[in-house]
Amino acid sequence: MVSAANRARNPARSSVWLEDKAARPASSRKAEQPEGLDRDRIVATAVRLLDAEGLPKLSMRRIATELNVTAMSLYWYVDTKDDILELAVDAVFGELPLTDPDDGQDWRVHLRRLAADYREVLVRHPWVSTILNTYLNIGPHSIAFAEAVQKIIRTTGLPVSVRTGATAAVFQFAYGFGTMEGNFSRRCAASGLTVDEYYEEAMEAFTENPRTSEQIDELKDVIGAHAGRTVAQVWDADFAFALDLMIAGIEAMVTRYATES
């Protein structure tokens, strides 16, 4: 097993994908190990619990209870809860429907689609953004996502020196947007209200409060522009427009570098 102390001393080398932690084959299963239990099932259960109950409530004991096995049974497949979380993040990245950037479609189509899919994954699994940068994220699905992003950015025509900046602009934006949207949705669900019900109650409270009513009055034109639309529709429209702005920026920079060369 890898101790917590060793992980702390060597964070750049601490990963379930770098250490010798290949899933043990079923043929080596000890007699006392439960039938049907494997790493994939453990990770799938962890993802389901994280979605339903959140990160603070996840424990080895909680996963074992859900699987109807002993907590010690899990340690045949993973060393720590960190292993499970790292594996769970990669499993979530496996939900991204990656397409081939070389299929003849314009890079703008691919970039919009992948950024939107990334946002949706973060909204669907709000806990992911909380721990995403805790791990190296070098699992097979995470690497496939990173490679797809780089292939798309490469076809934009941007010089190599600025491609990471373009990647950051698009996907850190999608990360932030998806994180905020996911957290808000979770807050609404915890209150027992839909997103639209929560928004309406919040707006009513802000309007009635003397300390915030003036700020609401200053935003009447913005609020009016969204009248008749659901919160989800507003989010979708804002995300699409912001993405268009970044794509336009990439196009402008491609032209600028082409002119300067």
Side-chain angles (χ1 to χ4, degrees):
M1 288 189 179
V2 178
S3 68
N6 186 57
R7 286 180 180 275
R9 284 195 301 269
N10 302 288
R13 293 179 176 271
S14 180
S15 170
V16 71
W17 305 106
L18 290 177
E19 297 159 358
D20 186 18
K21 295 183 178 182
R24 296 174 176 86
S27 59
S28 65
R29 184 179 61 85
K30 292 183 178 180
E32 63 268 23
Q33 292 300 314
E35 289 282 356
L37 185 64
D38 57 29
R39 177 178 281 184
D40 288 344
R41 189 177 169 205
I42 292 169
V43 173
T45 300
V47 170
R48 187 170 66 252
L49 289 173
L50 286 163
D51 290 345
E53 302 174 0
L55 184 62
K57 293 186 178 181
L58 188 76
S59 66
M60 299 294 270
R61 186 177 298 277
R62 179 69 186 91
I63 297 170
T65 299
E66 188 73 9
L67 288 166
N68 196 29
V69 299
T70 65
M72 288 305 297
S73 299
L74 303 182
Y75 291 103
W76 180 250
Y77 304 95
V78 292
D79 288 343
T80 67
K81 189 177 79 170
D82 271 337
D83 287 353
I84 295 179
L85 290 173
E86 190 175 5
L87 291 164
V89 168
D90 195 65
V92 166
F93 270 81
E95 297 177 12
L96 287 163
L98 304 181
T99 57
D100 182 7
D102 299 323
D103 65 0
Q105 294 191 78
D106 188 87
W107 64 265
R108 298 163 187 81
V109 174
H110 285 292
L111 192 61
R112 285 191 178 94
R113 182 183 302 147
L114 192 53
D117 289 339
Y118 184 47
R119 167 202 168 194
E120 288 180 8
V121 160
L122 293 171
V123 172
R124 192 159 59 242
H125 306 286
W127 53 273
V128 169
S129 59
T130 305
I131 61 173
L132 191 57
N133 294 320
T134 303
Y135 305 104
L136 296 180
N137 301 324
I138 54 173
H141 297 304
S142 299
I143 289 177
F145 170 70
E147 289 177 341
V149 170
Q150 290 309 308
K151 283 182 180 179
I152 295 168
I153 297 298
R154 192 178 304 133
T155 61
T156 63
L158 285 170
V160 176
S161 61
V162 298
R163 288 177 190 167
T164 54
T167 301
V170 175
F171 288 94
Q172 288 188 25
F173 153 70
Y175 169 86
F177 199 102
T179 297
M180 293 178 66
E181 186 179 352
N183 287 341
F184 184 74
S185 297
R186 180 178 284 276
R187 173 67 180 270
C188 296
S191 72
L193 300 173
T194 67
V195 170
D196 292 306
E197 290 169 342
Y198 191 98
Y199 173 77
E200 289 298 330
E201 288 203 10
M203 288 299 295
E204 184 177 337
F206 294 155
T207 302
E208 293 174 352
N209 190 314
R211 291 184 299 175
T212 55
S213 59
E214 184 175 339
Q215 284 73 26
I216 293 295
D217 285 341
E218 293 177 357
L219 293 173
K220 278 186 176 179
D221 57 339
V222 176
I223 296 172
H226 295 317
R229 293 196 286 178
T230 66
V231 172
Q233 288 171 334
V234 172
W235 278 338
D236 287 345
D238 287 349
F239 183 84
F241 182 72
L243 197 53
D244 281 344
L245 286 178
M246 280 182 284
I247 288 174
I250 291 174
E251 293 170 337
M253 295 305 291
V254 168
T255 300
R256 171 181 162 183
Y257 281 104
T259 302
E260 293 177 351
S261 61

